[in-house]
Amino acid sequence: MAASIDSLLAEISDIEDPIEELKHLKTAILSIPISTLRDSVTGDRFDVIFSLLSTTEREQIELCVDILERLLVALSPVSLAQDFREALQGGLTHHAEGVKILALTQIGRIVAHPEAVTEILNNDDILQEVIHCIGGDHIAVAKQAILSLSKLSHSKAGLDKLFRSSLLKDMKDVMEISDIVRYRVYELVVDIASVSDISLGYCASSSFISQLLAELMGEDVLIRATAIEMVTGLAQSQHGRQHLAQQGVMDKISNMIKGANTDPFSSLYLPGLVKFFGTLAITDSPQQVCEMYPAFQNKVFEMALDPDPVMTGVALDTLGLVGSTVEGKQVLQKTGEQFKAVLVRMSQLAHLGATEMRVRSLDAIAQLLNLEVEHQSEDLLALTESWFLLLANKPMDMITNICTQPFPELHCSGLRVFTAIAPQPWGQRLMIGTPSFMEFIVDRSTGKTKEAKDAKFALVGALVSTSTAATILGSRNYLQLRTYLREGAYYVAAVAAVSTDGAE
C-alpha cells in the first residue's frame, strides 16, 4: 500500500502539469482507511505535495490540501513536529485560506501532545505567525488559530510561553489592528481563562481581563454589546464568576440594567446584559440571583411584554432557561400576577406571532412545564398544571392545532410542549380526556420530517416511561404506545399488494 502511494508521489514530482495525477492520488488515499495509512505511510515523500502548493492554480492547491489533510493525520504529532515544522510554518503565510487552516490544524495537534509541543515551544517564529493569523481577513483562519493557541495554554509551559514571553507583546500588537480583531483576542483569552483558576490568573495578570471589563463599562454602546458576550463566556466557569464578583462586575451590570430606561441606545446592549444574568441564574442559583439583582427579574418581565421582537425573544429564552429548574419555577411562581401576565403573553405569541417567535414561545413554555419524575411533589405538580391551564381556555386543543399546521418547526415545538407534560399525571389525564388525542399520538402520517418523527417518538417515550401511564391511559392505549416505541421512530407499515391477474 505504501509502495503504491510512494510511487504515485514519485510520478507527480516528474510531471509538469500534476493536476490529473493529484486527482488519482487523492482517490487512492481516500480509499484507504486511516488505520491502514498510519501503519503503511511515511512522510518521506510528502515534500512533493508541499512543494506543489507554490502556485496560484486554485484547483492544484485544493487537491494538495485534501491530500495532505489525509496523509498528515496518519502521522504522529511528534513526527509532524520533527519533520514538517518548516513546511507548516510556511503554510501559515500562504495566500490560500485552506493552506493556512491545514497548517493551523496540524499545529493544533502538535501543541496538544505533551511530547510534540516542546518542538513548538522552542520556536517563537511559528507561534508568532499563529498569533498573526488571528488578525487576518479570514474568520475561519482566525478561529483555527484561536483553537490552536487555546490548546497550547492547557499546560503551564504553554501559559508561560503565551503570557510571560515576547509573545504577549505580539498578542497585544495584534489587538491594535481593529475592534474585530481585538475581540478575537478576547475570545482566546476567555477560552484560556475558563480552563482553570490558574489560567485565569495568567490572563488577569496580563491585564486582558481588566481591559475587557473597562470596555464593558465604557461609553461606546456597540463595544459594550460585544464585551458583554465575552464576559458572559467568562461567567460560565465557577472561578470566572468568582473573579467577576470580586471585581464588582455583577453590581455594575445590574446598575446598567437599571439605567437602561434612560439610555436611547440601550436596546443594543440590554439583551446581552439579561443573558449574562440568565447564565448566572442557571449556573448558580435562580433564587439567589433574582433576590440579589431584582433589576434583572423585573427587566425580563418587562421585555417579555415589549412589542420589540428582539427584546421579547431574549426574554422568552431567558425565562425558559431560568424556569427549566425547580428552583427557577418556584422563583417565578412567587411573583404572582407578574408571571401570570407573562404566561398569557407567551400563549398569545405561540398562537398568533411570527413563526420564529411562535417557536421560541413554545420552547420556553415546554421548559417551564417540564418536571422530572423525581421532582414531582404535590406542590410542583399543582404549579405546572396551573401554568398550563393559564395558556388558553382549552390549552390541549390550542397546542394540538399548532402541531397540525404545515410548518415542521411549529409541529416539533408543539410536540415538545406535550412531551414536557407527558410524565406528569395531570398531563396524562388531560391527554386521555381530549377526544382523538391518543389516536393523534400514534398516527405516523403526521409529521414527515426526521425531526418530526424524533419529536413524536420522544413524546411516546415520555409517556410510556412513567409508572402512572398504564393506569391513567388504560391498557389498550398503553399497549399501543409500547408497540409504537418498539417499532421505532421511523417505522413504516408494510402495504400488502393486491393481485389483479385476470381482472377486466
Side-chain angles (χ1 to χ4, degrees), residues 388 395-397 399-401 403 414-415 417-419 421-422 427-443 456 459 463 473 477 481:
F388 185 73
M396 289 293 295
D397 291 347
I399 304 299
T400 303
N401 288 337
C403 290
L415 288 176
V417 174
F418 285 138
T419 303
I421 69 171
Q428 294 169 8
R429 285 192 289 271
L430 285 175
M431 289 178 179
I432 194 64
T434 301
S436 303
F437 187 80
M438 299 310 298
E439 289 81 358
F440 162 74
I441 291 181
V442 296
D443 182 1
K456 178 71 75 73
L459 168 56
L463 273 172
L473 301 178
N477 289 319
L481 292 171

Side-chain angles (χ1 to χ4, degrees), residues 273-497:
L273 304 183
V274 169
K275 287 179 184 178
F276 171 81
F277 276 114
T279 298
L280 285 189
I282 201 68
T283 52
D284 275 347
S285 160
Q287 181 175 343
Q288 183 178 336
V289 170
C290 290
E291 286 179 354
M292 290 183 66
Y293 310 104
F296 156 65
Q297 181 175 280
N298 293 333
K299 182 57 69 173
V300 172
F301 288 156
E302 181 184 315
M303 288 167 62
L305 304 175
D306 197 301
D308 183 345
V310 174
M311 295 295 179
T312 306
V314 171
L316 292 174
D317 297 343
T318 304
L319 287 167
L321 193 64
V322 172
S324 64
T325 66
V326 168
E327 187 179 311
K329 287 175 172 56
Q330 293 168 330
V331 168
L332 294 174
Q333 179 73 348
K334 285 179 183 177
T335 66
E337 294 303 316
Q338 265 189 306
F339 183 63
K340 286 182 181 179
V342 169
L343 267 179
V344 171
R345 168 74 164 157
M346 283 186 176
S347 175
Q348 292 169 345
L349 291 169
H351 187 51
L352 300 170
T355 301
E356 181 189 355
M357 196 60 66
R358 296 179 75 183
V359 168
R360 291 173 83 170
S361 297
L362 288 165
D363 287 347
I365 289 168
Q367 287 179 292
L368 289 166
L369 294 175
N370 186 60
L371 188 63
E372 300 296 335
V373 173
E374 60 268 26
H375 297 138
Q376 289 182 9
S377 66
E378 186 176 334
D379 288 345
L380 285 171
L381 285 169
L383 181 154
T384 53
E385 182 179 12
S386 69
W387 286 0
F388 185 73
L389 295 177
L390 274 173
L391 297 177
N393 289 331
K394 295 181 178 180
M396 289 293 295
D397 291 347
M398 184 190 88
I399 304 299
T400 303
N401 288 337
I402 291 172
C403 290
T404 56
Q405 292 179 16
F407 302 100
E409 59 269 44
L410 283 177
H411 176 83
C412 293
S413 292
L415 288 176
R416 283 193 284 271
V417 174
F418 285 138
T419 303
I421 69 171
Q424 303 177 57
W426 63 263
Q428 294 169 8
R429 285 192 289 271
L430 285 175
M431 289 178 179
I432 194 64
T434 301
S436 303
F437 187 80
M438 299 310 298
E439 289 81 358
F440 162 74
I441 291 181
V442 296
D443 182 1
R444 292 184 181 272
S445 67
T446 61
K448 302 296 185 181
T449 66
K450 178 183 182 301
E451 293 75 15
K453 293 177 188 295
D454 288 340
K456 178 71 75 73
F457 191 73
L459 168 56
V460 174
L463 273 172
V464 171
S465 65
T466 63
S467 59
T468 57
T471 303
I472 295 176
L473 301 178
S475 58
R476 177 175 168 274
N477 289 319
Y478 182 72
L479 289 174
Q480 279 187 313
L481 292 171
R482 287 292 299 269
T483 300
Y484 189 109
L485 203 63
R486 186 178 66 253
E487 291 170 345
Y490 314 114
Y491 173 79
V492 177
V495 178

Side-chain angles (χ1 to χ4, degrees), residues 216-273:
L216 172 62
M217 305 305 165
E219 297 300 319
D220 189 322
V221 293
L222 293 176
I223 292 293
R224 183 183 295 176
T226 310
I228 189 61
E229 290 185 27
M230 296 293 118
V231 174
T232 300
L234 196 58
Q236 297 285 348
S237 64
Q238 184 176 2
H239 60 272
R241 293 192 295 276
Q242 288 175 344
H243 181 80
L244 294 175
Q246 289 166 2
Q247 304 301 312
V249 172
M250 282 74 159
D251 291 327
K252 291 174 183 176
I253 293 178
S254 178
N255 288 334
M256 289 167 68
I257 290 177
K258 293 176 184 176
N261 288 336
T262 58
D263 184 352
F265 301 106
S266 63
S267 61
L268 296 172
Y269 60 83
L270 187 56
L273 304 183

Side-chain angles (χ1 to χ4, degrees), residues 14-272:
D14 297 328
I15 295 175
E16 187 175 336
D17 183 9
I19 287 181
E20 288 305 314
E21 292 301 324
L22 285 169
K23 289 179 180 177
H24 293 154
L25 178 59
K26 176 182 174 182
T27 301
I29 290 172
L30 290 177
S31 68
I32 303 171
I34 289 292
S35 58
T36 305
L37 279 176
R38 287 196 180 103
D39 295 335
S40 59
V41 173
T42 63
D44 297 345
R45 288 188 176 272
F46 290 9
D47 289 343
V48 175
I49 307 298
F50 277 110
S51 67
L52 292 174
L53 290 170
S54 299
T55 179
T56 56
E57 177 62 48
R58 180 177 176 181
E59 185 179 11
Q60 181 172 318
I61 292 172
E62 290 176 350
L63 284 166
C64 289
V65 168
D66 290 342
I67 291 167
L68 286 169
E69 279 180 346
R70 186 75 170 179
L71 290 176
L72 293 177
V73 78
L75 300 179
S76 71
V78 173
S79 296
L80 271 176
Q82 291 175 346
D83 300 333
F84 297 102
R85 189 176 58 210
E86 290 184 8
L88 293 175
Q89 184 173 343
L92 296 175
T93 56
H94 198 279
H95 61 85
E97 178 182 5
V99 179
K100 289 182 178 178
I101 292 174
L102 170 68
L104 288 165
T105 302
Q106 299 307 318
I107 289 170
R109 290 180 61 210
I110 293 171
V111 300
H113 191 278
E115 295 177 26
V117 68
T118 57
E119 299 285 342
I120 296 292
L121 289 173
N122 296 327
N123 192 318
D124 283 7
D125 291 343
I126 286 184
L127 292 175
Q128 284 175 343
E129 290 299 341
V130 173
I131 290 170
H132 292 161
C133 284
I134 297 177
D137 296 331
H138 301 292
I139 183 63
V141 172
K143 289 286 186 184
Q144 196 61 52
I146 290 169
L147 181 59
S148 295
L149 292 171
S150 181
K151 289 178 180 178
L152 177 66
S153 72
H154 288 182
S155 68
K156 184 181 184 303
L159 286 167
D160 286 338
K161 193 67 178 178
L162 282 175
F163 294 100
R164 293 178 181 173
S165 76
S166 60
L167 294 181
L168 177 60
K169 183 178 183 303
D170 289 314
M171 284 198 288
K172 293 191 174 183
D173 287 346
V174 165
M175 292 179 79
E176 299 299 321
I177 293 175
S178 68
D179 288 346
I180 291 174
V181 174
R182 186 169 73 259
Y183 273 85
R184 290 177 188 170
V185 176
Y186 282 143
E187 181 182 343
L188 169 63
V189 168
V190 169
D191 284 348
I192 293 172
S194 298
V195 173
S196 69
D197 189 41
I198 292 173
S199 59
L200 186 148
Y202 276 84
C203 297
S205 64
S206 302
S207 76
F208 285 114
I209 303 295
S210 58
Q211 184 177 339
L212 172 62
L213 295 178
E215 293 190 26
L216 172 62
M217 305 305 165
E219 297 300 319
D220 189 322
V221 293
L222 293 176
I223 292 293
R224 183 183 295 176
T226 310
I228 189 61
E229 290 185 27
M230 296 293 118
V231 174
T232 300
L234 196 58
Q236 297 285 348
S237 64
Q238 184 176 2
H239 60 272
R241 293 192 295 276
Q242 288 175 344
H243 181 80
L244 294 175
Q246 289 166 2
Q247 304 301 312
V249 172
M250 282 74 159
D251 291 327
K252 291 174 183 176
I253 293 178
S254 178
N255 288 334
M256 289 167 68
I257 290 177
K258 293 176 184 176
N261 288 336
T262 58
D263 184 352
F265 301 106
S266 63
S267 61
L268 296 172
Y269 60 83
L270 187 56

